[in-house]
Amino acid sequence: SQQGEEDPQALSIQEGENATMNCSYKTSINNLQWYRQNSGRGLVHLILIRSNEREKHSGRLRVTLDTSKKSSSLLITASRAADTASYFCATDARRTGANSKLTFGKGITLSVRP
Amino acid sequence: DAGVIQSPRHEVTEMGQEVTLRCKPISGHDYLFWYRQTMMRGLELLIYFNNNVPIDDSGMPEDRFSAKMPNASFSTLKIQPSEPRDSAVYFCASSFYTSQETQYFGPGTRLLVL
């Protein structure tokens, strides 16, 4: 079963607007990651937020994590046409030891209109 | 830094043929992952290795799939015999310290089985 589920499934905005994407998960986690995938390419890591962190910034990206609600949001401010891509959240189920696998959601398709 | 290298980038084959996908992880990374991506099922983890040893192969669909990592700089994913339902994009990824940290993805191999 999917650990992380994103919503909405698709989002279309105008260039310059902000884009907010959400991810919910089921079990306790060590960390949550967001990735971007441009059409025909591999996934690219954007940001990692640990379970003891509530908010993290990287350039125009802002990620929040609410472990009580088991949810995260990714905010892209001042969007650009180049932000058009699919965005995935990935979570790892909390367990002892270093070996646990990431589970990816099905992704959000973001279209930024110029 | 070359990143994760995969070959071939595209493969078209006929049902019943053997398919071998190749991956060279980033030098120094301890973990290597094989994923499969389809529209229907999203991104699925097939198997991952730590220091060349398979840790979790629970995602391997069936005995037709096998993966090896003979050394730290090379891994193969083999499908024998291939079937049309194996058509997908196969990604290799690697990570440094643990399987929970940032994963670096290759460009993928787009496989079409006729």
Side-chain angles (χ1 to χ4, degrees):
Chain A
S1 63
Q2 292 296 122
Q3 164 71 322
E5 293 188 7
E6 302 97 339
D7 90 275
Q9 289 188 335
L11 182 61
S12 181
I13 59 174
Q14 199 74 33
E15 202 166 28
E17 293 180 338
N18 295 341
T20 299
M21 292 167 271
N22 304 299
C23 172
S24 59
Y25 56 93
K26 296 184 175 66
T27 63
S28 296
I29 59 172
N30 293 303
N31 63 56
L32 184 144
Q33 303 181 42
W34 285 92
Y35 287 78
R36 184 188 74 228
Q37 184 179 33
N38 290 90
S39 181
R41 302 285 187 92
L43 279 72
V44 174
H45 178 260
L46 294 176
I47 198 163
L48 180 154
I49 186 166
R50 302 195 186 280
S51 59
N52 61 353
E53 297 175 312
R54 292 296 166 257
E55 188 170 312
K56 207 161 181 180
H57 297 255
S58 176
R60 293 184 296 113
L61 305 180
R62 173 178 166 250
V63 169
T64 61
L65 180 64
D66 187 334
T67 53
S68 67
K69 295 182 180 177
K70 292 186 170 58
S71 68
S72 172
S73 67
L74 170 66
L75 169 68
I76 303 175
T77 60
S79 64
R80 305 166 182 169
D83 295 327
T84 295
S86 293
Y87 292 81
F88 296 84
C89 73
T91 55
D92 65 318
R94 182 187 292 273
R95 65 181 64 179
T96 56
N99 292 326
S100 66
K101 53 192 178 185
L102 289 184
T103 304
F104 287 80
K106 290 204 169 180
I108 298 169
T109 301
L110 172 66
S111 298
V112 182
R113 304 186 302 274
Chain B
D1 196 352
V4 175
I5 298 172
Q6 290 187 248
S7 65
R9 293 293 309 277
H10 302 271
E11 178 82 24
V12 180
T13 190
E14 293 188 345
M15 183 173 64
Q17 296 298 306
E18 178 179 294
V19 174
T20 300
L21 311 181
R22 297 173 177 79
C23 174
K24 177 178 167 54
I26 292 172
S27 178
H29 280 195
D30 295 330
Y31 286 81
L32 182 140
F33 309 84
W34 282 101
Y35 290 91
R36 178 173 67 177
Q37 186 177 39
T38 61
M39 289 292 291
M40 288 295 293
R41 301 171 70 95
L43 193 67
E44 303 173 279
L45 176 66
L46 301 177
I47 185 171
Y48 75 93
F49 296 81
N50 177 21
N51 291 324
N52 314 338
V53 176
I55 301 300
D56 186 339
D57 65 355
S58 60
M60 295 286 263
E62 47 199 274
D63 292 346
R64 298 184 298 106
F65 285 69
S66 63
K68 293 182 180 179
M69 192 164 185
N71 58 61
S73 59
F74 184 65
S75 177
T76 59
L77 178 68
K78 188 173 292 188
I79 308 173
Q80 165 65 13
S82 58
E83 296 182 4
R85 59 191 166 125
D86 301 331
S87 297
V89 182
Y90 291 81
F91 289 103
C92 177
S94 67
S95 68
F96 193 17
Y97 279 127
T98 75
S99 55
Q100 305 155 3
E101 298 295 321
T102 299
Q103 294 186 14
Y104 296 83
F105 281 74
T109 295
R110 189 172 296 272
L111 173 65
L112 178 61
V113 183
L114 302 173

